Amino acid sequence: MDYQSFFRQALEDLQAEGRYRVFADLEREAGQFPFARNHRDGKTERVTVWCSNDYLGMGQHEVVLDAMRAALDAAGAGAGGTRNISGTNHNHVLLERELADLHGKDAALVFTSGYVANETALMTLGSRLPDCNIFSDSLNHASMIAGIRHSGARRHIFRHNDVADLERKLRDADPNAARIVAFESVYSMDGDIAPIGEICDVAHKYGALTYLDEVHAVGMYGAQGAGVAERDGVQGKVDVVQGTLAKAFGVIGGYVASSPELVDFIRSFGAGFIFTSALPPSIAAGALASVRHLRRHPEIRARHQERAATLKGKLLAAGLPVMASDSHIVPLFVGDAERCKRASDLLLQQHRIYVQPINYPTVPRGAERLRLTPTPLHDDAMINDLIRALLDVWSRLGLLRAAAE
């Protein structure tokens, strides 16, 4: 077989469809978010970033940077090994205690990423619980899907956020089998929010564990930033919560929080935790500082929600196709992969605004979009500049101006 020709052809097919991913070569500027330096064609220019998952700008916050500097000086660079073999630093212990307390749970476990946390937790639970059946929302993240598939458990896919469909599937499943209902709070591409309490009530009615991914909500919702479940007063109904340290908390890593027995079970049997090196102590210290800071400062969350609402209102007033969203995520409908990429390119090249195109397989074909993520640090002038740039690009490309359904 000519392996290289196979690879080339596959890449050429992606390019022909307009789905080939090109990374913007960005250099973040400490203390200057949402600005960054973009390196392109041998030149450097300052751009405004409108698609970062550093939702609150905590990756640039002095309280986080100071904590990381101090831990780096005190403990050095790497953790020194896996958590089991010399890699458990006191910062990891403090961070897990803080995360458990944040979510009203008795224990938490930190992983190297949110993806690894989801994959490991669901794979471990699904493979070791007897005759396990996992009920998964149809729009669950790739990391959840991977964990469920690798678990070997029987899978049941219920319609997105459809409690009645979930109940039908739970009712028809083997009543003697172990069950897990896995879903997200905020779905990152559409920005819609799950009816957490209703899903948990139905799951518990049929004896299922509830597993909630709050990756796009932790830090941003609830009185202390524990997520949508806290905001909606249903934290106690969630058996396992999974979150990330890489988005609103601004660093890197993932975690699960639950009962001591369940967390210890994943710690003791989860290959994705056991056989990987621990996060560097400085990362754990920075994440701990970020969690603590956001718990004490709800005004940051209030500002974030105000900025998202302001942006949505101005986009709608300008006649741009804002897709319905219940959260801080603001999707703009394009509906074509090639033109979505072209819109992103024009924004960057002509207006120094960076918004990454979102194409298949992240979203279905025909649902391509630009995904805007306003932060508390995007001021009115930045929003107005974005609107003007989008209107110019929409006009140049002849894109849809009516609101998308």
Side-chain angles (χ1 to χ4, degrees), residues 55-58 99 102-103 185 214-230 242-245 247-250 255 290-305 328 376:
Y55 290 130
L56 303 179
M58 291 303 293
L99 291 168
L102 172 68
H103 291 287
S185 58
E214 289 256 40
V215 159
H216 291 276
V218 290
M220 294 171 283
Y221 295 87
Q224 297 186 78
V228 177
E230 182 194 24
Q242 182 267 344
T244 184
L245 305 169
K247 292 182 171 62
F249 295 130
Y255 64 90
S290 185
V291 173
R292 287 175 171 171
H293 184 79
L294 288 175
R295 292 186 76 174
R296 295 194 297 265
H297 290 279
E299 73 277 5
I300 298 175
R301 285 183 283 284
R303 167 73 174 176
H304 186 218
Q305 291 298 314
H328 59 282

Side-chain angles (χ1 to χ4, degrees), residues 122-277:
L122 286 167
M123 181 171 63
T124 304
L125 293 170
S127 64
R128 290 185 171 270
L129 285 170
D131 301 318
C132 189
N133 285 238
I134 301 182
F135 301 80
S136 176
D137 188 284
S138 62
L139 293 188
N140 274 345
H141 189 264
S143 58
M144 301 175 78
I145 295 168
I148 294 167
R149 283 177 174 167
H150 294 157
S151 74
R154 185 176 180 189
R155 289 172 281 157
H156 308 263
I157 311 302
F158 63 92
R159 288 195 294 268
H160 178 52
N161 282 345
D162 190 329
V163 180
D165 189 46
L166 170 62
E167 180 159 22
R168 281 191 293 272
K169 287 178 166 54
L170 283 165
R171 186 174 56 239
D172 293 343
D174 180 357
N176 298 313
R179 304 171 181 208
I180 300 170
V181 174
F183 62 109
E184 301 180 39
S185 58
V186 176
Y187 287 84
S188 63
M189 291 300 116
D190 292 335
D192 57 334
I193 295 177
I196 298 172
E198 294 176 53
I199 289 175
C200 289
D201 287 344
V202 167
H204 292 150
K205 176 181 176 181
Y206 292 92
L209 283 172
T210 53
Y211 183 103
L212 177 63
D213 178 319
E214 289 256 40
V215 159
H216 291 276
V218 290
M220 294 171 283
Y221 295 87
Q224 297 186 78
V228 177
E230 182 194 24
R231 184 199 70 176
D232 293 351
V234 293
Q235 275 196 117
K237 295 183 178 184
V238 177
D239 297 308
V240 188
V241 61
Q242 182 267 344
T244 184
L245 305 169
K247 292 182 171 62
F249 295 130
V251 193
I252 188 69
Y255 64 90
V256 295
S258 186
S259 68
E261 294 83 2
L262 188 147
V263 168
D264 197 14
F265 182 83
I266 294 172
R267 182 190 72 88
S268 299
F269 292 102
F273 176 82
I274 295 169
F275 297 106
T276 192
S277 294

